[in-house]
Amino acid sequence: MELTLNEKKLLVALGPMGSADAAVLAEKMDTRREAVVQYANLAGDRGLVDVEKHVARRYVPTEEGRAYIGRGLPERQVLESFEESIPMRDLQGHPLAKIAIGWMRKKGWIAIRDGVVQKSGNTAPGPDEAAFARLAEKGEIADGEGVADLAKRGLVQEEETVAYTVSITPRGRELLSQGLDLREEAGTLTREQILSGEWKSLPLRRYDVTKLPKRAYPGKVHPYQRIIDEMRGILFDMGFEEMSGGIVQSSFWNFDALFQPQDHPAREMQDTFFLGERRPLPAGYERVRDMHEHGGGTSSTGWGGTWSAEKAEQCVLRTHTTSLSIQHLAAHPKPPVRAFCIGRVYRREAIDPTHLAEFEQLEGIVMDEDVNLRHLLGFLKEFYAKMGFEKVRFRPGYFPYTEPSVEPEVYVDGLGWVELGGSGIFRQEVTEPFGIEHPVLAWGLGISRVAMLRLGLRDLRQLYRSDVEWVRETPTYGGRR
Ligand code: PHE
């Protein structure tokens, strides 16, 4: 059996005595007692020594207790300050009178009559004084008669001491008798030791290759961000470019440009976060206005009524990333366009495990000559398949800005069909005011739900919590990629 240097040193120190207190060994080995206990426990596991732990309770004086040491308890001191009797008023002049008089009466040492204090026949010390005398002599006492009284009075306090006795086992003794090499072990070899061949005779430190190292937690991308990055990768692979834009949008871009009527319920205060800020309308906004009011000379009749520029200037926290799609199209009205973005959107929702007031959407648009619904369904199917959802189906839906409108759903084992967003082909009421002449396929998918499914979460809020433990424990390549 190979012994570590510390084990050898322990056996050598312990050998002559056979059994010793860890503190004594520490002195012999010129180290700390805690270190000896640690070596001894390890050596104990290997059967070289036995370690016995003793817990001892003892009592030491409190600060108040220390003040009486050598002088006696207050009642004794005060009792001894007068002969047979003393007027109460005089006695009260003693600095300890306040504490002592009560105790002297309680112990039956005095009687008070007509303002005079008279000693009684029996003033012998009780067990508490005996215990206190022992304490004065030794500085500490074990539990015993009278000690509890002193503790109750706050004159002594309990202290726990732990002692360790280490004894050599027959196995340890046997190894000791074979002679132990006490040279320091080499942890790393120097170039010189290797060249000279000295390494062959050096005692080498052993490595336990079966021991697991401490777990390390290097920097790590948040699991949700990883899924977002994966989605971006998929869309880049599918030939899309990334759009970007601000979180604060005018109602014009968030609603009006998407042919959402100004009295649409989604534009109410209870659904949308409106901001105090206003933004000027873009050049050419009149065409959007005309489309709303009467159809702008197209086959549409518009929504009718009067369109309010003031309402359109009002800023909101974007309620969907479709507000970026329409701006991107306004800036690039000519085909081909293939763009996406992943961004946070805001809605005034009652918060529960599957609904939050902020979440991420993955928005995409494809504009080209003659693209149609089959292409749209194809794009969505392909995207979901790449995300690991094999079964996708489409249900008819409704959005004010698309016709037809489709709601994609994916099938998840154990959950069934899960709705993941909306899509459709932009209506001419949306495209015409911006001079867009070709069909635009569009979709907006809630991706926090996708992340939740992929990460096996029950509560969407987990994605947004600062839960380092969860981030650590979530495998980097969980799921399929
Ligand atoms: N904007 C819609 C939503 O937030 C999704 C959508 C985008 C629908 C594009 C159709 C076209 O639910």
Side-chain angles (χ1 to χ4, degrees):
M1 171 153 78
E2 282 295 338
L3 302 187
T4 67
L5 187 58
N6 285 327
E7 284 169 340
K8 292 179 196 166
K9 284 183 175 166
L10 180 69
L11 291 182
V12 169
L14 193 55
M17 299 180 281
S19 168
D21 184 87
V24 174
L25 285 169
E27 211 164 299
K28 277 192 88 173
M29 292 168 69
D30 194 20
T31 179
R32 291 170 307 115
R33 192 184 78 130
E34 293 71 40
V36 171
V37 173
Q38 196 192 344
Y39 306 153
N41 279 325
L42 291 172
D45 291 344
R46 309 228 285 153
L48 306 172
V49 298
D50 287 324
V51 184
E52 232 178 288
K53 181 176 173 181
H54 319 271
V55 181
R57 259 168 273 287
R58 59 194 190 122
Y59 293 81
V60 296
T62 59
E63 197 180 316
E64 189 190 349
R66 268 200 299 280
Y68 306 143
I69 280 188
R71 299 197 184 92
L73 296 182
E75 57 271 29
R76 179 63 61 190
Q77 291 185 45
V78 173
L79 189 79
E80 282 172 359
S81 72
F82 64 98
E83 289 299 324
E84 279 311 307
S85 70
I86 185 170
M88 185 60 153
R89 193 173 311 151
D90 293 354
L91 191 62
Q92 275 162 345
H94 194 290
L96 291 174
K98 250 193 168 157
I99 312 172
I101 293 174
W103 281 107
M104 290 194 294
R105 290 182 64 173
K106 204 167 161 189
K107 291 182 170 180
W109 291 355
I110 56 168
I112 306 169
R113 212 162 296 130
D114 303 330
V116 175
V117 179
Q118 180 77 43
K119 281 190 191 173
S120 74
N122 187 6
T123 57
D128 57 339
E129 271 190 288
F132 195 73
R134 272 181 279 131
L135 176 72
E137 196 184 318
K138 302 224 178 79
E140 60 170 69
I141 40 176
D143 202 0
E145 217 193 340
V147 175
D149 295 327
L150 295 177
K152 227 185 274 166
R153 284 177 71 173
L155 301 181
V156 295
Q157 63 196 27
E158 193 184 295
E159 251 184 29
E160 206 184 82
T161 47
V162 184
Y164 295 90
T165 309
V166 187
S167 324
I168 195 163
T169 60
R171 175 87 181 116
R173 174 99 33 236
E174 184 189 326
L175 287 166
L176 181 62
S177 69
Q178 289 166 8
L180 299 173
D181 182 353
L182 287 178
R183 282 179 300 165
E184 284 297 329
E185 290 169 331
T188 41
L189 294 178
T190 63
R191 178 184 137 86
E192 286 70 31
Q193 286 165 337
I194 294 169
L195 286 180
S196 66
E198 185 194 348
W199 65 271
K200 288 182 205 152
S201 58
L202 282 176
L204 299 176
R205 181 169 320 141
R206 303 254 145 195
Y207 286 96
D208 184 348
V209 293
T210 65
K211 278 241 154 60
L212 284 176
K214 237 196 190 163
R215 282 195 73 172
Y217 297 102
K220 186 172 177 182
V221 175
H222 191 280
Y224 189 26
Q225 185 60 47
R226 239 171 37 232
I227 291 177
I228 289 176
D229 291 342
E230 181 185 335
M231 292 178 177
R232 291 178 71 229
I234 291 174
L235 282 143
F236 284 132
D237 289 350
M238 288 169 74
F240 284 70
E241 61 171 326
E242 196 167 17
M243 330 178 251
S244 61
I247 281 164
V248 174
Q249 296 290 340
S250 64
S251 291
F252 180 83
W253 288 121
N254 197 76
F255 298 122
D256 296 282
L258 290 164
F259 198 55
Q260 204 146 324
Q262 291 195 320
D263 60 359
H264 191 277
R267 295 179 72 149
E268 297 289 327
M269 292 290 271
Q270 61 268 22
D271 292 314
T272 299
F273 292 105
F274 283 91
L275 305 173
E277 195 184 333
R278 320 183 67 78
R279 290 212 179 141
L281 301 177
Y285 81 88
E286 298 85 352
R287 297 182 66 176
V288 170
R289 176 196 63 197
D290 293 351
M291 183 58 79
H292 276 250
E293 289 187 346
H294 48 71
T298 65
S299 57
S300 173
T301 56
W303 296 110
T306 313
W307 185 82
S308 155
E310 205 175 313
K311 267 195 163 181
E313 283 168 355
Q314 185 79 51
C315 284
V316 300
L317 292 181
R318 65 187 184 202
T319 63
H320 54 182
T321 38
T322 318
S323 55
L324 301 192
S325 296
I326 187 61
Q327 285 176 82
H328 188 82
L329 288 167
H332 305 91
K334 294 269 170 286
V337 172
R338 260 185 205 210
F340 81 98
C341 76
I342 299 180
R344 193 167 286 193
V345 300
Y346 301 82
R347 290 181 197 174
R348 291 189 62 167
E349 295 258 15
I351 292 173
D352 69 27
T354 52
H355 293 90
L356 296 179
E358 41 186 321
F359 55 95
E360 278 69 27
Q361 279 190 328
L362 185 157
E363 193 81 18
I365 40 172
V366 173
M367 187 246 286
D368 213 339
E369 292 170 26
D370 300 326
V371 287
N372 60 37
L373 186 65
R374 294 178 71 91
H375 296 110
L376 173 63
L377 306 189
F379 273 116
L380 292 170
K381 263 195 168 161
E382 182 170 349
F383 171 74
Y384 280 125
K386 291 194 180 200
M387 282 304 296
F389 298 102
E390 299 294 345
K391 283 201 233 164
V392 185
R393 74 176 183 188
F394 302 95
R395 288 154 56 97
Y398 172 78
F399 300 98
Y401 32 92
T402 46
E403 182 58 37
S405 300
V406 194
E407 287 177 2
E409 295 182 336
V410 297
Y411 189 82
V412 181
D413 281 343
L415 285 180
W417 291 100
V418 181
E419 188 206 311
L420 288 177
S423 63
I425 301 178
F426 277 158
R427 300 167 69 117
Q428 63 160 345
E429 286 94 335
V430 174
T431 51
E432 208 276 341
F434 296 101
I436 298 158
E437 288 168 359
H438 296 281
V440 179
L441 316 176
W443 58 88
L445 312 173
I447 59 164
S448 37
R449 283 268 197 87
V450 174
M452 199 174 156
L453 297 172
R454 281 273 300 263
L455 294 167
L457 299 179
R458 296 270 191 94
D459 190 332
L460 202 51
R461 289 170 289 193
Q462 184 64 49
L463 295 178
Y464 300 92
R465 267 182 206 133
S466 298
D467 184 346
V468 174
E469 224 33 61
W470 175 71
V471 174
R472 282 179 173 172
E473 297 314 321
T474 303
T476 310
Y477 289 96
R480 42 187 66 238
R481 265 166 75 128

